[in-house]
Amino acid sequence: MPPGKGSGVDLGPAMARPFTGIDPAAVEDIGPVVRGKVRDVVDLGERLALIATDRLSAFDRVLGTVPYRGQVLNQLSAWWFDQIADLVPTHMVATPDPNVMIARKCRTLPVEVVVRSRLTGSTGTSLWTMYAAGARHAYGIRLPDGLRKNDPLPRPIITPTTKGAAGAHDRPITESDIVEDGLVETGTWEEVRSVALAVFERGRQAAEEAGLALVDTKYEFGLDPDGRVVIIDEVHTPDSSRFWRSATVEERRTAGAEPENLDKELVRLDYAAQGFTGDGDPPPLGADLAVRAARAYLEVFEALTRRPFAPAPYPAAKRAVAALRAYHHA
């Protein structure tokens, strides 16, 4: 589906009964449940069941729900895991339900690997926020004077952050500090950075073919029981990545206007326009903004996968639990 067409999916069922998560009691005989910001995770022993909800998190807080967000992210990540299987092993085992992914347990590396190709962003850890405040040396990288917001960088760069505890902000860190502080062993980090850049390039090419610009993204990596580097969590979704509509990028940049964001950034920018940038209690996620975000997420899904989005039935919790139970007892 070409970008800009929008999706004709009826958002009504997901708006009326958003998927906020499962009842831990419904799976207590299968395994304990840990509720993250946007996923419910069921410990199955050697594997995990990652249940993608419609909860949307920004500024390290859950702001509300976005219709079909969980299904979009789960199915799009599964699609990407297939696309990059020749570059790096992934944690995906199966997707027994549109909102459920079975994953191998891995030891998560304690850094988030952010790859950027443009000087942009609105959060405290974004390159543009630091640059606009006068920083010319960020994440161990020297930046020249005279750049404007959304300008392209000479080449994609890695700007890692530590993984903040619940409710805490991520902290910028340099690549050398990652190794020197013992967060990641030298050889492992070299492999991680090489894989991250290769996966980003694969994503950039696929996005370009879909009429999108993959601007930046966040990856998470882990080590499997054999010590192999594995990519985990999600890949190139509108939650973890910044997508712009390619056709209007340069025109809008020349005019000094924001690009057409097709990702979570449109939520962040709306909140920033309301005066909220991460401190204090955020305002609730309004219905109009939730719909705008849903339409953007659906557009990215359909443009990349070249297939229409098929909404799963709502309410979603009972369906997801039934699929998980069937998988577990198979």
Side-chain angles (χ1 to χ4, degrees), residues 18-295:
F19 183 28
T20 58
I22 65 168
D23 178 0
V27 294
E28 61 183 357
D29 60 321
I30 296 177
V33 178
V34 174
R35 173 163 286 196
K37 290 193 187 83
V38 298
R39 287 192 188 93
D40 290 350
V41 181
V42 185
D43 190 334
L44 305 177
E46 294 183 356
R47 295 176 178 177
L48 299 172
L50 310 178
I51 302 174
T53 74
D54 292 342
R55 303 191 301 264
L56 182 133
S57 169
F59 308 104
D60 295 312
R61 293 168 172 82
V62 175
L63 303 179
T65 58
V66 169
Y68 296 114
R69 174 204 164 278
Q71 182 182 347
V72 168
L73 268 58
N74 192 59
Q75 292 188 321
L76 187 55
S77 287
W79 183 83
W80 275 115
F81 285 149
D82 286 338
Q83 305 304 307
I84 64 171
D86 62 316
L87 299 176
V88 59
T90 78
H91 70 168
M92 182 175 70
V93 175
T95 51
D97 178 85
N99 288 77
V100 180
M101 180 177 293
I102 307 300
R104 291 182 293 150
K105 274 188 178 178
C106 298
R107 180 166 66 84
T108 303
L109 298 181
V111 293
E112 293 185 340
V113 182
V114 182
V115 183
R116 305 179 189 272
S117 65
R118 286 184 180 256
L119 186 67
T120 192
S122 59
T123 66
T125 57
S126 76
L127 210 54
W128 169 249
T129 300
M130 296 178 179
Y131 190 88
R136 295 297 180 268
H137 196 264
Y139 297 95
I141 300 167
R142 182 70 187 174
L143 298 169
D145 290 322
L147 297 179
R148 298 179 303 161
K149 187 179 184 184
N150 301 328
D151 277 357
L153 298 170
R155 65 184 184 281
I157 61 173
I158 292 178
T159 60
T161 64
T162 60
K163 292 174 64 65
H169 296 302
D170 298 337
R171 181 175 59 86
I173 191 171
T174 68
E175 291 191 60
S176 59
D177 285 342
I178 288 173
V179 173
E180 291 171 9
D181 292 350
L183 296 177
V184 182
E185 188 270 334
T186 302
T188 300
W189 176 251
E190 288 301 319
E191 182 177 354
V192 164
R193 78 177 321 276
S194 176
V195 166
L197 291 171
V199 172
F200 185 80
E201 178 59 20
R202 178 71 55 82
R204 189 197 63 76
Q205 292 174 1
E208 184 177 305
E209 293 170 2
L212 303 169
L214 174 61
V215 178
D216 53 44
T217 195
K218 176 188 72 177
Y219 303 123
E220 292 199 38
F221 290 89
L223 300 178
D224 71 8
D226 295 325
R228 295 186 306 167
V229 169
V230 175
I231 199 163
I232 62 174
D233 194 50
E234 59 187 270
V235 169
H236 299 157
T237 72
D239 250 33
S240 65
S241 308
R242 199 183 313 270
F243 289 100
W244 295 344
R245 192 174 285 128
S246 293
T248 59
V249 168
E250 292 310 313
E251 174 188 345
R252 294 176 71 89
R253 188 170 72 93
T254 301
E258 282 293 326
E260 293 184 87
N261 292 282
L262 297 172
D263 53 66
K264 192 162 62 175
E265 183 69 3
L266 66 86
V267 174
R268 296 190 192 99
L269 290 173
D270 188 279
Y271 270 68
Q274 298 178 55
F276 181 83
T277 55
D279 295 320
D281 294 328
L285 182 68
D288 288 347
L289 182 55
V291 167
R292 284 173 52 209
R295 293 297 180 200

